[in-house]
Amino acid sequence: MTSLSELADAPPGMPSAGLLEIDLDAVRANYRLLRGRIGNAVCGGVVKADSYGLGASRVVPALAREGCRHFFVAHADEALALLPHLPDGGTLYVLNGLVGDAVPEIARLAAEGAPVVPVLNSLDHVIAWRAAAARRGRVLPAVLQIDTGMSRLGLAPAEVAAVADDGTAFAGLDIRFVMSHLACADEPLHPASAAQLAAFQAAREVLARHAAFAGARWCLANSSGIFLGAGYHFDLVRPGAALYGLNPQPGGDNPMRAVVRLHARIIQARSIPAGSHVGYGYTFASAGAARVATLSVGYADGWPRSLSGKGAVWLGDQRLPILGRVSMDSIVVDVSHVSEGRAVADAPIELIGGHQSVDDVADAAGTIGYEILTSLGRRYRRVYTGG
Ligand SMILES: *Cc1c(COP(=O)(O)O)cnc(C)c1O
């Protein structure tokens, strides 16, 4: 890990709001932990949204070193950008499938033999991809998604039954996997998961009538789904969040290793008399004399504005409550109880680290760790370790 003193010692004018440390060894350890839980199933990695904001061009090679070969993105252009970073034998799956420009783009890539595979989310996608295969006179790979309850993407049960009895529905297509997605896997007691599992198994029996699925494999679980038990693992699992250290079992102990640390620095400290106000809207008024410090991180850096007057940051072991509104480029925190001489300009402040996790920040902000991670701004200096 890069030492905090590096941040503290950085020359004035360092152009970043703070230091964002991303531990690629922790990503690898998390992959190993998940793989250890899934028996003979294969562990893929979800690297959409630039690996949840952490840098997919760094995460993909790190996962590849652990043997990961199945990578999931949301959009065709995300797949394009990652092709140069893909290991031999690796495949990129495009979860949102054949949308807009993606049809000709993915068809061209696939026809050229690039390892980019669209997820077909509707009958229209199936038809478009079949037509692309016919036009190019070659077999094109695909993943078929079926909807098992969340009404987001995938064929409805009636459509599954219809294609199962249509011998030509998948002409020219090589169906690598059939997938669905769990809506409530992070709530182990929620009855939806078992119902979705039953619907997935029912669709599997229906599709078994069709020759195109003779060699297909099956894929259901995201991070939390892995922790629902072996019945949810099938042939391939698709974790994202847990790889990046988020807790796949909210409310329970987090078995994953933390991946991210974020530090900013104090850019100004000052004493204020009783009755002073802090920040936009004067939403905080100090009852007594206080000492406050201004930090170089705001909502433009992904520090949520919903933390206005809520949550805290840390100086060593001391908790510094956030006062008033979060600004675009700064926040003000209470340092009244910090011993003299510590809360001074340039002192490094922990926003995410040993004292509060990404999930803790999300809880305080009334959101989920996914949103905090994917919002981490572009103004931080990013330092990768391990990998
Ligand atoms: C984002 C996503 C995942 C990964 O989910 P996590 O909860 O981050 O593990 C898996 N499958 C699909 C279809 C997704 O959209």
Side-chain angles (χ1 to χ4, degrees), residues 41-366:
V42 173
C43 193
V46 178
V47 295
K48 64 191 180 188
D50 201 24
S51 283
Y52 294 39
L54 302 187
S57 66
R58 305 299 296 263
V59 168
V60 166
L63 290 173
R65 259 169 236 129
E66 293 297 332
C68 184
R69 293 295 179 268
H70 301 275
F71 299 93
F72 293 84
V73 294
H75 304 290
D77 36 359
E78 291 182 310
L80 249 181
L82 286 177
L83 272 174
H85 304 284
L86 205 60
D88 284 348
T91 302
L92 286 157
Y93 302 91
V94 180
L95 288 167
N96 280 7
L98 299 174
V99 188
D101 294 351
V103 188
E105 187 64 17
I106 303 181
R108 181 184 62 76
L109 287 169
E112 288 166 1
V116 176
V117 176
V119 175
L120 308 180
N121 289 314
S122 67
L123 287 181
D124 283 346
H125 285 184
V126 174
I127 291 165
W129 202 229
R130 200 169 66 208
R135 239 183 349 262
R136 295 181 181 262
R138 56 176 295 165
V139 173
L140 293 179
V143 169
L144 182 68
Q145 174 147 228
I146 58 180
D147 179 40
T148 52
M150 78 182 292
S151 310
R152 188 174 75 166
L153 293 169
L155 271 61
E159 295 173 317
V160 172
V163 294
D165 292 321
D166 175 357
T168 62
F170 301 97
L173 303 186
D174 167 19
I175 304 294
R176 302 271 180 89
F177 289 99
V178 181
M179 64 170 272
S180 190
H181 191 48
L182 297 166
C184 309
D186 57 337
E187 301 172 56
L189 299 179
H190 200 296
S193 296
Q196 288 196 266
L197 176 62
F200 195 56
Q201 278 159 335
R204 185 152 84 142
E205 274 161 39
V206 171
L207 288 173
R209 300 205 291 263
H210 198 294
F213 296 89
R217 290 181 291 165
W218 300 79
C219 176
L220 179 62
N222 65 336
S223 298
S224 297
I226 291 171
F227 291 82
L228 292 178
Y232 289 82
H233 297 161
F234 293 91
D235 299 303
L236 175 70
V237 297
R238 306 185 307 271
L243 293 174
Y244 310 120
L246 300 184
N247 190 355
Q249 300 174 291
D253 284 343
N254 187 356
M256 313 315 300
R257 232 166 89 178
V259 170
V260 168
R261 303 201 316 163
L262 175 62
H263 288 84
R265 55 166 157 195
I266 294 177
I267 52 177
Q268 189 172 98
R270 63 204 300 144
S271 297
I272 56 173
S276 300
H277 295 95
V278 174
Y280 284 117
Y282 274 19
T283 56
F284 178 82
S286 185
R291 248 188 103 65
V292 300
T294 304
L295 311 182
S296 55
V297 167
Y299 61 76
D301 306 296
W303 194 254
R305 192 166 176 276
S306 56
L307 286 176
S308 296
K310 268 195 273 176
V313 298
W314 293 80
L315 172 56
D317 287 331
Q318 279 183 295
R319 186 175 184 276
L320 314 179
I322 295 171
L323 302 179
R325 290 204 180 136
V326 173
S327 295
M328 185 186 294
D329 316 298
S330 61
I331 53 177
V332 177
V333 298
D334 185 0
V335 294
S336 301
H337 303 290
V338 175
S339 49
E340 198 68 27
R342 288 190 74 211
V344 293
D346 274 354
I349 303 292
E350 176 195 303
L351 287 91
I352 297 170
H355 294 87
Q356 65 186 9
S357 67
V358 177
D359 288 316
D360 293 335
V361 174
D363 280 348

